[in-house]
Amino acid sequence: MKTFALAGNPNSGKTTLFNALTGSTAHVGNWPGVTVDRREGVYKKGSEKINIVDLPGIYSLSPYTPEEIVSRDFILDGRPDGIINIVDATNLERNLYLTTQLMETDVPLIVALNMMDEVEKAGDKIDVKALERALGVPVVKISALKETGIRELMEIAAALPDSRKGVSVLEDTMREKIRALKEFYDGEGLSSPLFRAVKLLENDEAESKRKGAKELLEKVANGCDTEAVVADGRYQYISEHFSQAKIKAAKEQFNKSDKIDRVLTHRVWALPIFAVILFAIFHVTFAEDFLYIGAWASLGKGLPALDDLGLSDGMAKFVGIFYDGAVFSPGVILFNVFDTVFGIIAEAAGGA
Ligand code: GDP
Ligand code: MG
């Protein structure tokens, strides 16, 4: 039976997803030596069964809190077949900090983008394809609470290849240093050598304690504060690649108004367009045939003139304000209203 670990920040919805996946099969125990809950259960995918382990909530794979140690040990040495990294999509950047570390392990990885119901309720969008490109692993939108997307998540998880080669978002900025340290770990024959190499650059306690590691780090770092550079590099990569995926909806709108702007301020077309718009405004305001039922007219029937309507005098006066063979524009109607009103007043005054 395959075993998948659920890893994610506290409150990202791990337990909710775990319960949705395992239902009544779950049982709770303790991790050896610590008082951290160990929940385990079985997900049934048709006839296939997948073992699910709910890891404690963590922000980082450092070896400092009991939760971090338990999660890290299980991921590196517990031989899970894969990690389901549950990410709170309403808090994407902060949650992805852990994802950039999980990426560095050699364990197969899938990202479950949780709380999508909240994201959609807020009218936000997330470009899953852009996220997948930036992370290099499958990303599936889910709502653990509403139990949507879960079947698709498990389909893709079950079909993940048996092994993966870790990748780091820091490979561009620290390529040489990472390579030198990874060579060391390759020689030691340890699991996830890339992950350990980057951890050593982060002055990670567990990795620094390894024989020869500290001396090697000093040599490779050559006075550079690699811990700060790594933290910075993660945040920078996240804001460069992942914020983009999130604000896509807003950006599209901006692009649309941007395009309109570019046409309206064009070097050659700006003036002709301006003239046409001005004409349209004048036409709408002052034309005597602002609304002319063209289709009717083209049948050769034309629209009847006011005199041909056979209206009483009073009615003709009133309708004449708005219509004579075509509907007048607002400007003409306004003029006619004043004209008629003052006509009536003048008539009354003359009579008196
Ligand atoms: P854990 O700390 O990672 O185990 O997170 P929990 O499973 O305890 O969930 C934390 C909170 O988020 C709870 O109040 C859940 O009801 C809520 N939650 C979990 N998943 C979802 C989801 O998909 N949508 C929404 N709206 N809330 C969720
Ligand atoms: Mg929990």
Side-chain angles (χ1 to χ4, degrees):
M1 184 163 47
K2 278 190 174 177
T3 295
F4 276 85
L6 288 184
N9 286 183
N11 286 317
S12 56
K14 273 190 322 325
T15 301
T16 310
L17 177 61
F18 176 81
N19 289 339
L21 288 174
T22 59
S24 58
T25 67
H27 56 266
V28 185
N30 263 349
W31 295 93
V34 285
T35 54
V36 177
D37 277 359
R38 179 189 170 113
R39 298 155 161 280
E40 207 164 335
V42 175
Y43 172 76
K44 294 195 187 74
K45 182 179 164 289
S47 59
E48 192 184 348
K49 288 178 174 175
I50 298 173
N51 197 31
I52 308 283
V53 177
D54 185 16
L55 295 176
I58 45 168
Y59 293 107
S60 162
L61 284 176
S62 330
Y64 301 115
T65 67
E67 286 80 6
E68 286 168 353
I69 292 169
V70 161
S71 297
R72 173 164 159 157
D73 286 352
F74 188 77
I75 287 167
L76 292 183
D77 300 317
R79 302 193 165 276
D81 295 287
I83 304 166
I84 299 172
N85 174 207
I86 180 159
V87 161
D88 175 357
T90 65
N91 241 313
L92 197 58
E93 280 95 336
R94 198 185 62 187
N95 276 249
L96 288 171
Y97 194 76
L98 175 65
T99 308
T100 62
Q101 298 174 49
L102 294 168
M103 280 163 62
E104 286 160 359
T105 72
D106 288 348
V107 184
L109 177 65
I110 181 169
V111 169
L113 209 52
N114 192 34
M115 316 241 182
M116 280 311 297
D117 57 314
E118 287 286 334
V119 171
E120 276 154 21
K121 204 163 74 188
D124 290 336
K125 287 206 178 100
I126 294 181
D127 183 346
V128 164
K129 287 276 164 278
L131 258 186
E132 282 184 336
R133 272 196 306 276
L135 295 170
V137 299
V139 176
V140 181
K141 292 181 184 174
I142 69 161
S143 165
L145 191 69
K146 310 256 189 247
E147 301 198 10
T148 56
I150 290 176
R151 186 195 288 260
E152 191 197 352
L153 172 73
M154 294 312 289
E155 291 277 335
I156 299 174
L160 282 177
D162 290 340
S163 68
R164 190 176 66 90
K165 274 274 153 273
V167 288
S168 176
V169 300
L170 306 154
E171 266 163 89
D172 278 346
T173 43
M174 308 190 86
R175 189 187 309 273
E176 291 314 313
K177 292 183 174 65
I178 290 174
R179 190 196 300 177
L181 297 186
K182 184 173 172 291
E183 233 162 61
F184 166 77
Y185 282 105
D186 283 336
E188 299 277 298
L190 291 160
S191 62
S192 295
L194 175 72
F195 172 83
R196 293 178 198 269
V198 178
K199 278 293 162 209
L200 186 56
L201 286 172
E202 288 181 288
N203 283 330
D204 176 284
E205 202 172 82
E207 294 310 329
S208 308
K209 272 197 291 216
R210 221 169 276 287
K211 193 168 173 294
K214 198 139 200 163
E215 295 72 20
L216 179 64
L217 173 64
E218 263 163 36
K219 201 178 110 207
V220 167
N222 195 18
C224 158
D225 181 358
T226 53
E227 188 178 358
V229 176
V230 168
D232 225 52
R234 288 198 202 282
Y235 282 122
Q236 210 167 331
Y237 190 87
I238 288 170
S239 66
E240 251 170 50
H241 292 82
F242 305 146
S243 314
Q244 244 176 354
K246 202 177 64 188
I247 58 171
K248 200 181 165 256
K251 210 173 142 206
E252 256 167 23
Q253 257 171 18
F254 173 75
N255 279 349
K256 202 184 283 172
S257 76
D258 223 33
K259 270 180 207 150
I260 294 172
D261 235 40
R262 220 172 301 150
V263 174
L264 292 185
T265 59
H266 189 270
R267 218 155 28 93
V268 176
W269 296 114
L271 275 177
I273 289 172
F274 177 68
V276 167
I277 290 173
L278 209 61
F279 173 80
I281 290 171
F282 269 97
H283 178 78
V284 164
T285 316
F286 299 116
E288 298 232 348
D289 58 352
F290 161 57
L291 240 185
Y292 184 66
I293 318 296
W296 182 263
S298 69
L299 287 175
K301 301 201 165 139
L303 288 178
L306 187 61
D307 289 343
D308 300 336
L309 287 176
L311 299 169
S312 66
D313 270 4
M315 202 57 191
K317 212 178 201 126
F318 177 70
V319 173
I321 292 175
F322 305 96
Y323 177 89
D324 189 3
V327 179
F328 297 146
S329 67
V332 174
I333 291 172
L334 203 64
F335 174 81
N336 288 348
V337 168
F338 280 116
D339 196 42
T340 310
V341 169
F342 284 118
I344 290 168
I345 292 173
E347 216 170 283

